[in-house]
Amino acid sequence: MKRVLLFIIATLLLSGCLSHWIIENEVRLQIENKTPHTILSLNVVSLDSSMQKQWIKETLLPGERSSVVSSDWVGSFNLNVLYLKNGELDTLSHVFESVSLEGGSIFAQISEKSGFWTFKQK
């Protein structure tokens, strides 16, 4: 009987907000702009494109790093980068499809060469 009671108490302690002490479900992200373009923002888009939220809104010139921004994005998402090409005023975008984000700190480098974009997590 005591074992069942201890099991129930342990289960309740690991549920809800108390599980945050053990399971990391927050992502702290910092990006570095390794493209020749000016990055305006990074948005998280659901895989079915029904939801889009802005995650990082900073103007990053080539070579610059963003501030660290925390959010509850654990799972797989599409990431949409809004940017300006050098010398142009139109906002363009590139989508990284099915990016897996796990809890914890992520430093990511966004690069582009000859039209090929990469989102490299470190």
Side-chain angles (χ1 to χ4, degrees):
M1 185 65 161
K2 289 181 182 179
R3 288 184 182 174
V4 172
L5 183 59
L6 287 174
F7 176 74
I8 292 171
I9 291 172
T11 303
L12 291 174
L13 287 175
L14 293 177
S15 66
C17 294
L18 295 177
S19 67
H20 292 240
W21 293 349
I22 298 169
I23 302 168
E24 184 92 45
N25 70 345
E26 183 177 72
V27 177
R28 292 169 300 283
L29 177 67
Q30 180 181 35
I31 59 173
E32 180 179 14
N33 181 4
K34 296 193 77 154
T35 73
H37 313 296
T38 300
I39 293 178
L40 301 174
S41 68
L42 178 77
N43 302 316
V44 177
V45 183
S46 63
L47 293 177
D48 65 358
S49 298
S50 64
M51 179 278 308
Q52 179 170 322
K53 298 272 183 174
Q54 195 170 61
W55 191 353
I56 294 179
K57 182 182 168 101
E58 285 185 56
T59 300
L60 301 175
L61 298 173
E64 290 186 335
R65 292 183 178 187
S66 71
S67 300
V68 177
V69 181
S70 298
S71 196
D72 289 333
W73 298 115
V74 175
S76 291
F77 302 92
N78 295 328
L79 298 179
N80 184 16
V81 177
L82 297 177
Y83 68 97
L84 294 174
K85 273 192 171 182
N86 292 337
E88 294 185 21
L89 297 177
D90 292 334
T91 302
L92 304 170
S93 68
H94 178 78
V95 176
F96 295 103
E97 294 184 359
S98 298
V99 176
S100 179
L101 301 171
E102 297 179 11
S105 295
I106 297 174
F107 173 70
Q109 294 176 324
I110 298 174
S111 58
E112 183 266 338
K113 188 171 185 178
S114 301
F116 182 73
W117 287 73
T118 57
F119 184 86
K120 185 176 180 182
Q121 296 184 42
K122 293 186 173 195

